[in-house]
Amino acid sequence: MARPKTKAELQAELPKAYERLQQAISNLSEEQRVEEIVFSEAFLLKHKEVHWTRDKNLRDILIHLYEWQLLLLHCLENLEADRFLPEPYNWRTYGQMNDAFVTKHQHTTLSEASELLEASHRRIEDQLQRMSEEELFEKWRFRWAGHSHAASYFTANTISHYEWARKKITYYRKHPHSGI
């Protein structure tokens, strides 16, 4: 999917991407929804991105999505915010922040994670509805967005993130206990 270039495109694609994610989750067995996600050493040699080993279960994936949406919501509700990532993190150290999200939610249940993500998704949709085309696509409009525009953060923290999670979940469903 191409990146949305208008508010209407963003509003149209956001629920579709969320539904594709929910469909991928519904395709998991009950066991797969709660068990540890393990990928083979051979797979991990080819796929070196940290998230393949960071997220140990579906809850971790959902919490990752939720926490990144909270970052966006914070900025959208505090338009004068200076930065997108909270102190002490920056774009070189955000991996540590992702690890902190996992640690923070070790006692969050899968059901709670699902509810949190649903709620943050709805809040994102509400924020999107309230914003003008200019607010979404004008570069340098918000300090927290830097040289980019708010729409790119919407896309990154929802549509693109949902696709990342959907692909990961789908791969796991097709290769459970990935000893292959």
Side-chain angles (χ1 to χ4, degrees):
M1 190 221 92
R3 284 187 164 266
K5 295 186 176 21
T6 66
K7 178 179 178 177
E9 288 177 3
L10 192 52
Q11 287 177 302
E13 185 55 32
L14 181 57
K16 291 177 190 173
Y18 188 70
E19 180 55 35
R20 287 189 299 267
L21 170 62
Q22 292 303 317
Q23 184 61 50
I25 293 168
S26 71
N27 289 336
L28 292 173
S29 69
E30 288 300 316
E31 181 181 76
Q32 287 174 318
R33 290 179 193 200
V34 296
E35 70 187 1
E36 183 176 357
I37 296 174
V38 179
F39 296 102
S40 71
E41 287 184 36
F43 177 87
L44 294 174
L45 284 173
K46 293 181 202 169
H47 301 84
K48 298 191 183 294
E49 297 92 348
V50 172
H51 73 86
W52 292 107
T53 56
R54 179 194 64 226
D55 302 321
K56 302 295 185 197
N57 50 47
L58 179 59
R59 180 211 52 220
D60 290 351
I61 295 169
L62 300 183
I63 285 301
H64 179 85
L65 298 173
Y66 163 73
E67 286 286 348
W68 276 87
Q69 288 182 359
L70 285 188
L71 296 175
L72 176 59
L73 286 163
H74 170 78
C75 289
L76 293 171
E77 293 165 358
N78 303 284
L79 294 176
E80 300 303 315
D82 287 336
R83 49 188 287 138
F84 183 76
L85 298 177
E87 291 285 349
Y89 305 108
N90 59 49
W91 292 111
R92 287 185 305 276
T93 63
Y94 73 90
Q96 296 168 10
M97 182 182 69
N98 287 334
D99 292 340
F101 293 156
V102 171
T103 301
K104 174 182 173 183
H105 287 280
Q106 284 305 295
H107 299 291
T108 301
T109 67
L110 175 58
S111 178
E112 290 167 337
S114 295
E115 290 170 10
L116 290 169
L117 179 59
E118 175 70 24
S120 65
H121 173 79
R122 296 292 167 229
R123 286 176 59 200
I124 294 276
E125 287 183 318
D126 290 345
Q127 286 288 341
L128 177 58
Q129 179 64 32
R130 286 195 282 273
M131 294 183 79
S132 70
E133 193 87 19
E134 293 76 25
E135 288 172 316
L136 286 165
F137 288 96
E138 184 179 298
K139 291 185 177 190
W140 298 102
R141 180 150 189 134
F142 304 113
R143 186 177 293 147
W144 56 265
H147 66 278
S148 194
H149 48 69
S152 67
Y153 282 81
F154 270 96
T155 301
N157 288 281
T158 60
I159 297 166
S160 296
H161 240 159
Y162 294 160
E163 182 63 12
W164 161 82
R166 185 194 64 77
K167 286 179 179 176
K168 186 171 185 169
I169 291 165
T170 299
Y171 183 87
Y172 178 64
R173 181 180 59 80
K174 292 179 178 177
H175 304 92
H177 314 294
S178 185
I180 56 174

